[in-house]
Amino acid sequence: MVKKGLLQRLSEGPVVGDGSMCFLLEKRGYAKSGMFTPEAVIDYPEAVLQVHREYVRSGADVVQTATFYATDDKLAYGTGKEKVAYSSVDINKAACELARKAASENDCLIAGGFSPVPSFRDEGEEAARKEFSKQADAYRNESIDFVIAEFFHDIREIEVCAEEMRKLNLPIVLCMRIGPGGDVNGTAVEDCALRMAKTGADVIGTNCSFDCNTSIKVLKRIKAALVHENLDKYLICQPTGFLCPETEDHPNGFFSLPEYPLCLDPRIMTRIEAHRFARQAWDAGVSYIGGCCGFEPHHIRSIAEELEPERKLNPPVHDMARAFGGEFFKNSLTSELRKEVLRTGDYWYSMNPASGRPFSSSVSKPKTGMKFQ
Amino acid sequence: MVKKGLLQRLSEGPVVGDGSMCFLLEKRGYAKSGMFTPEAVIDYPEAVLQVHREYVRSGADVVQTATFYATDDKLAYGTGKEKVAYSSVDINKAACELARKAASENDCLIAGGFSPVPSFRDEGEEAARKEFSKQADAYRNESIDFVIAEFFHDIREIEVCAEEMRKLNLPIVLCMRIGPGGDVNGTAVEDCALRMAKTGADVIGTNCSFDCNTSIKVLKRIKAALVHENLDKYLICQPTGFLCPETEDHPNGFFSLPEYPLCLDPRIMTRIEAHRFARQAWDAGVSYIGGCCGFEPHHIRSIAEELEPERKLNPPVHDMARAFGGEFFKNSLTSELRKEVLRTGDYWYSMNPASGRPFSSSVSKPKTGMKFQ
Amino acid sequence: MVKKGLLQRLSEGPVVGDGSMCFLLEKRGYAKSGMFTPEAVIDYPEAVLQVHREYVRSGADVVQTATFYATDDKLAYGTGKEKVAYSSVDINKAACELARKAASENDCLIAGGFSPVPSFRDEGEEAARKEFSKQADAYRNESIDFVIAEFFHDIREIEVCAEEMRKLNLPIVLCMRIGPGGDVNGTAVEDCALRMAKTGADVIGTNCSFDCNTSIKVLKRIKAALVHENLDKYLICQPTGFLCPETEDHPNGFFSLPEYPLCLDPRIMTRIEAHRFARQAWDAGVSYIGGCCGFEPHHIRSIAEELEPERKLNPPVHDMARAFGGEFFKNSLTSELRKEVLRTGDYWYSMNPASGRPFSSSVSKPKTGMKFQ
Amino acid sequence: MVKKGLLQRLSEGPVVGDGSMCFLLEKRGYAKSGMFTPEAVIDYPEAVLQVHREYVRSGADVVQTATFYATDDKLAYGTGKEKVAYSSVDINKAACELARKAASENDCLIAGGFSPVPSFRDEGEEAARKEFSKQADAYRNESIDFVIAEFFHDIREIEVCAEEMRKLNLPIVLCMRIGPGGDVNGTAVEDCALRMAKTGADVIGTNCSFDCNTSIKVLKRIKAALVHENLDKYLICQPTGFLCPETEDHPNGFFSLPEYPLCLDPRIMTRIEAHRFARQAWDAGVSYIGGCCGFEPHHIRSIAEELEPERKLNPPVHDMARAFGGEFFKNSLTSELRKEVLRTGDYWYSMNPASGRPFSSSVSKPKTGMKFQ
């Protein structure tokens, strides 16, 4: 039986993306906080495989290769060229193998990832193109199903990347990390959208930096811009899993929080907030719905559970988890509370969860000490 | 080379426990929320092994078998006897094998776990004793290093359990889930402590239900009670990783929160809060320091990092993680902020992390709809 | 010696307005919550006089007559015509006398107030004009110094009012209660500003409904709109004293809060927040700075203290109060804390004051149950 | 008609006290923050009279003389003896006259106040006794109805004061500012209660420093201690109107807050919180219920409204204010919301009012920089 491709799946209903790789590996002890390069695909392959598996089990339709920041220039960035342990080629190859193994467990699509390169800022377009090209070469011989560029905050850089991606003759997904203020140079959301669309990409949208609520607002503007120009593209939204309304107008989103990167735990979405996000995204016309930094397996599971009516299938984890806890609660609640909790999601939807921290404010003053690449 | 035993390690300095198994498996998709029985040791062994490994890598000295609620009466409790997939014997055996595999990776101790049984409440002491006895039998032929009873909220039940544990001739650790109000029948903290001590246990203390701050208060009272009676026991503290000051006076602790079990994410400790806990516990005379529900690998890592001066060793994860982020931040912070952040932990210690939820209060009104066993 | 007029004072530096009359009388027991008509000027004149005096003592340059909602149609609105105790004429006369008495204590200006009339909505422009005209007649024989229209949320109604105000040949101040969304019919802030300017008013701006932070944003837009059209008008800002960031986009501002009107206490500004407001308003080009509902004497005092360098005079209350507490603290602080607190306002400025309510969220969901007139 | 005395009124039902004098005068501009001495009774008598009147109008049964800190040693404390404007005798006389004027407006009782003296700490018991004696002399010729000592945090000092009070042959009320930790020397709440009872006082209890919730806890312990010893005394509770759960275990209560004294506004109780306090106090066996620093007229009004069934009378302010807003809301709510709000107090009782400050935490870390006397 032939595996259905991305575009066919998107034409039939929502596609569930996977969640965070870098941040999750970091919490588990397999990535360096602040660096987030994926040497673990070679050094700790079972750990990476396990993360992939959990997303597959949670209902993700896609396994994205653990190749974020896996270009030679970026791998060398933190440590100096002479100390780099592995080349981009080594890492991309190992990552694809792990993705393939996990994907095969539930007929998932394998997405080869592209991310921003320090060369773009430091040396210019052509140097960047070379890095993207090397990464594309690495994917050429791996049986991946589509390519996805993400975390770009400069429309010009993602345009260069898209040109190299096109040479692979695979469906193309482009994501920028932009909030209401547009890209790093102030290019408006609408302009970013139209320029991404004009690269020939099949799916466009946003990922990371901004939370689900801010990202939905941005996606609505992207949708409107496309409609206005009679352009028809699938939309993707993979926001950060850390709630951060106060950074809506800061170009770096949650990276500007004083809590970044070690104290973000209280900002992690609940699975209910993930349910709500999935519904709002689908209602806003987004078809490819997943998460980025901060999203964990239980959040992806909520997306799959929420979209079960549209997808007509339960995630593999259904043997052990149900939407809103389901019948598994039956023994741990008194009959009264059980009635209230189980009937519908209302009990959970009406909750504003507390953090148990009376000395904390609800939001923080963003700072401007973080830099990228 | 012979592995050092628990008591020798305790005599030499702090022993780092591991963190949550049930809640972590649940988030990852391998345990049923509200049930928390460990069938995964047979059905999804790599997932369980991976959790063990992450704790070992984080610096835990102990790998606790994934045998919580793994008695025949409890396994049958939710589903009915005829539907039980595996016997207690099956599960205990599989769990020991996984623990052994992980422990071997860093010379860790294997702890065979005991937990409360529904028989105690439903049928009485002798029925309970039978369940404990069966579980002890299962451990007899496995090369475990010590036994640990945990989550008991009735001093009489843990006394029965301790009697069965003694037959194994291994060091014994006893933990109750008690807050300032004492056990489920109102037996005072001090009385629980003295009665646990009198069972012949080597280590006594608390686990679960109450957060680190409340638990430290309880441990101080336990310490004082022992001192007052000239009893010398090692102390253990493995609190919940969910902050819940408002349930300090509720017998079920965080299980009384309206957010239990699906919306607890904002209450998860930060690694900084785990650092502080480790220091406070050690200063309060606690030698065995770990976590229960809600604790994840990055929290255990913080305990190991905090107690590095006392233990004179870094956790295995030191290749990829450092206390307070360490030098790995050097490329992602501006020079100004880097100075502030890296010099010491002050930047992090002075932080009261926000949850990004302006519509949430800081604490919730506890409810009384949860029941146990 | 002749009293300096409003326009001369504005040409020389900031003019300090007074604060809330209705809400303050209500708290003290002399006005009906939700009605806010000023029968107290006849029934409880000492209470009204005392409020005026406190604002004068706090440094206000203006005493605004207690004539809010004192038109015949409004006085009859809540109770029915036959039950009305006093006519608009009676009330306006009594109010002017009280204002005059208080103003004479510190050479203050007397401002005759105009407010929206139910006739405008119910019967149309001409009916409204008649009400404004009657109120103007009442002011004609009282020695007031200027007229001020406030709380209008329909640009057309304030235009009608301004026409009647002009017949008095006094300086004219016009204030609308508008947030970023403009007037009740969606007329943009900028259009409201230009139309107010074109009535021939001397001072234009906003009052009530929105808090100091939102109002400053609106005033900046008003300023920009005037500059763009080469119009030169003095600006006024008299916001509500209740902090309500969450109602910025709700046409009724703080009246949409679920806490309105009985539970607004925790939202009252501190005097430090009033200091900051005064500075920001002056920096934004606002010359007439006071407060509306929620502002109390200690807030007006902060405005006067903050603008002391520009006004070169201390408020009369200087015998008993100083900016940031001043030397009066010297006996109630330890020497260490005294040093920290007294040196500058830094201690206070860096404070985010807590409400002492761990079960409250920081903001509320606005509701839409309030109506006006 | 003869005015009913305090003890008769207490025997018939709840007696409503008045609210803050010092803090209210300070906000209005007639007292020095941090000093709080009452020179205003001579310098600004109408301002003091107006405060008294508002409490009378709100339903207070008692007018307490504005004589807090009005002993010669305290008056000289901040300024040096040579600079003191008025003697204790002058101030007490003027204060009594103002209280009498206000009390006569609603047949209220006049209470002559006593407060701690710096001499006690600096020079010892006999010096203190002399100050109390002088103040008692001042009251001797004024027609006051009873005496009340308040704000004492040393049981020995209030015992000395009580001895002098007894010489006036009037009913005696004694209040200490104690929380769960007892008096300044650690004398337990229960011991303070019994010792106050043994002075021959008619009414004992607490005032100031701690909020309504903490104070109710303390009053319950006082009640229990009296019952245990078969002592029968009326109880009084006049807590601070600033919510401060975090200072429950700090001897100085809200004076330890970093917000003291300039940023306490967000902590002021709502009138609903005052309703709840009145009910809880009465249910706990407290018969004399009023407020101290932070209590304002609208809070005292809530106490009177809440206890209307027991007192069978409405406060004078009933012409302009009703419990929970009453029918005066009828024109300012939509019919739907009106139904919800007016039916009962439920709408208000279920509210956790927000402060509109997303950057503030709910509570603060108490500090220890304040000192007294």
Side-chain angles (χ1 to χ4, degrees), chain C residues 119-169:
Chain C
S119 303
F120 182 80
R121 194 198 51 201
D122 298 345
E123 304 176 45
E125 250 182 65
E126 287 321 301
R129 187 184 304 279
K130 214 181 290 176
E131 294 294 330
F132 295 134
S133 171
K134 276 195 284 179
Q135 203 165 15
D137 286 345
Y139 289 136
R140 205 174 308 271
N141 301 316
E142 305 289 334
S143 52
I144 63 175
D145 299 301
F146 67 92
V147 280
I148 180 166
E150 50 171 22
F151 203 69
F152 286 80
H153 70 154
D154 187 326
I155 181 65
R156 297 169 309 159
E157 187 177 2
I158 205 170
E159 285 172 335
V160 174
C161 185
E163 286 175 36
E164 296 309 306
M165 293 166 85
R166 284 179 64 182
K167 299 179 182 162
L168 290 169
N169 283 319

Side-chain angles (χ1 to χ4, degrees), chain B residues 232-255:
Chain B
D232 195 20
K233 295 286 175 187
Y234 292 111
L235 298 182
I236 179 171
C237 185
Q238 304 208 111
T240 176
F242 304 114
L243 296 177
C244 50
E246 69 268 55
T247 67
E248 186 158 306
D249 298 322
H250 283 69
N252 279 327
F254 84 93
F255 298 102

Side-chain angles (χ1 to χ4, degrees), chain D residues 268-313:
Chain D
I268 296 175
M269 300 170 80
T270 65
R271 54 192 89 187
I272 307 306
E273 290 160 340
H275 265 279
R276 193 183 289 124
F277 160 63
R279 182 54 52 200
Q280 290 178 337
W282 177 249
D283 286 350
V286 180
S287 330
Y288 185 150
I289 302 169
C292 200
C293 306
F295 263 79
E296 302 199 3
H298 63 306
H299 301 118
I300 295 302
R301 185 200 312 172
S302 285
I303 298 176
E305 285 163 345
E306 178 66 31
L307 299 174
E308 183 273 335
E310 283 80 10
R311 300 171 75 230
K312 290 172 205 74
L313 68 102

Side-chain angles (χ1 to χ4, degrees), chain A residues 18-27 36 55 208-209 238-243 254-255 260 264-265 267-271 274 290-300, chain B residues 27 265 268 296:
Chain A
D18 57 7
S20 168
M21 176 56 76
C22 298
F23 271 67
L24 200 51
L25 283 183
E26 194 281 330
K27 276 174 69 175
F36 295 121
Y55 288 127
C208 211
S209 287
Q238 304 208 108
T240 178
F242 304 115
L243 295 176
F254 85 92
F255 298 102
Y260 174 81
L264 292 165
D265 307 65
R267 293 182 181 266
I268 296 175
M269 300 170 81
T270 66
R271 53 192 90 188
C292 199
C293 306
F295 263 78
E296 302 199 2
H298 62 307
H299 300 118
I300 296 301
Chain B
K27 275 174 70 176
D265 307 65
I268 296 175
E296 302 200 2

Side-chain angles (χ1 to χ4, degrees), chain D residues 2 8-9 46 54 120 134 153 183 231 263 266 286 344 353 358:
Chain D
V2 179
Q8 188 180 346
R9 294 187 191 209
E46 315 84 341
E54 291 171 20
F120 182 79
K134 276 196 285 179
H153 70 155
D183 91 343
L231 287 166
C263 289
V286 180
T344 69

Side-chain angles (χ1 to χ4, degrees), chain B residues 176-216:
Chain B
M176 294 187 74
R177 57 176 184 95
I178 51 174
D183 90 344
V184 69
N185 302 307
T187 315
V189 165
E190 288 75 9
D191 292 334
C192 289
L194 297 177
R195 288 171 65 174
M196 282 195 280
K198 281 167 194 165
T199 64
D202 303 284
V203 186
I204 66 167
T206 68
N207 83 304
C208 211
S209 287
F210 301 93
D211 70 16
C212 49
N213 301 308
T214 298
S215 297
I216 294 280

Side-chain angles (χ1 to χ4, degrees), chain D residues 92-288:
Chain D
N92 280 277
K93 194 174 150 57
C96 287
E97 196 176 315
L98 294 171
R100 207 154 41 228
K101 204 174 285 184
S104 71
E105 294 182 3
N106 198 36
D107 200 35
C108 295
L109 298 168
I110 301 162
F114 289 83
S115 48
V117 293
S119 303
F120 182 79
R121 193 197 53 200
D122 298 344
E123 304 178 45
E125 250 182 64
E126 286 321 302
R129 185 184 304 280
K130 213 181 290 175
E131 295 293 331
F132 296 134
S133 171
K134 276 196 285 179
Q135 202 165 17
D137 286 345
Y139 290 134
R140 204 173 307 272
N141 300 316
E142 306 288 336
S143 52
I144 64 175
D145 299 300
F146 67 92
V147 280
I148 180 166
E150 49 170 24
F151 203 68
F152 287 79
H153 70 155
D154 186 324
I155 180 65
R156 297 169 309 159
E157 187 177 1
I158 204 169
E159 286 173 335
V160 175
C161 184
E163 285 175 36
E164 296 308 306
M165 291 166 86
R166 285 181 61 182
K167 298 179 182 164
L168 290 169
N169 283 319
L170 290 169
I172 294 178
V173 182
L174 299 185
C175 301
M176 294 186 75
R177 59 176 183 93
I178 50 174
D183 91 343
V184 69
N185 301 307
T187 315
V189 165
E190 288 75 8
D191 292 333
C192 290
L194 297 178
R195 287 171 64 174
M196 281 195 281
K198 281 167 193 164
T199 64
D202 303 283
V203 185
I204 66 168
T206 68
N207 83 304
C208 210
S209 287
F210 300 92
D211 70 16
C212 50
N213 301 307
T214 299
S215 297
I216 293 281
K217 291 187 207 172
V218 172
L219 261 297
K220 284 181 178 169
R221 286 173 55 187
I222 289 179
K223 174 86 181 172
L226 293 176
V227 166
H228 188 264
E229 298 287 321
N230 267 321
L231 287 166
D232 194 21
K233 295 286 176 187
Y234 292 111
L235 299 182
I236 179 172
C237 186
Q238 304 208 109
T240 177
F242 304 114
L243 296 176
C244 50
E246 69 268 56
T247 67
E248 186 158 306
D249 298 322
H250 283 69
N252 279 327
F254 84 93
F255 298 103
S256 319
L257 292 171
E259 288 93 350
Y260 174 81
L262 298 188
C263 289
L264 292 165
D265 308 66
R267 294 182 180 267
I268 296 175
M269 300 170 80
T270 65
R271 54 192 89 187
I272 307 306
E273 290 160 340
H275 265 279
R276 193 183 289 124
F277 160 63
R279 182 54 52 200
Q280 290 178 337
W282 177 249
D283 286 350
V286 180
S287 330
Y288 185 150

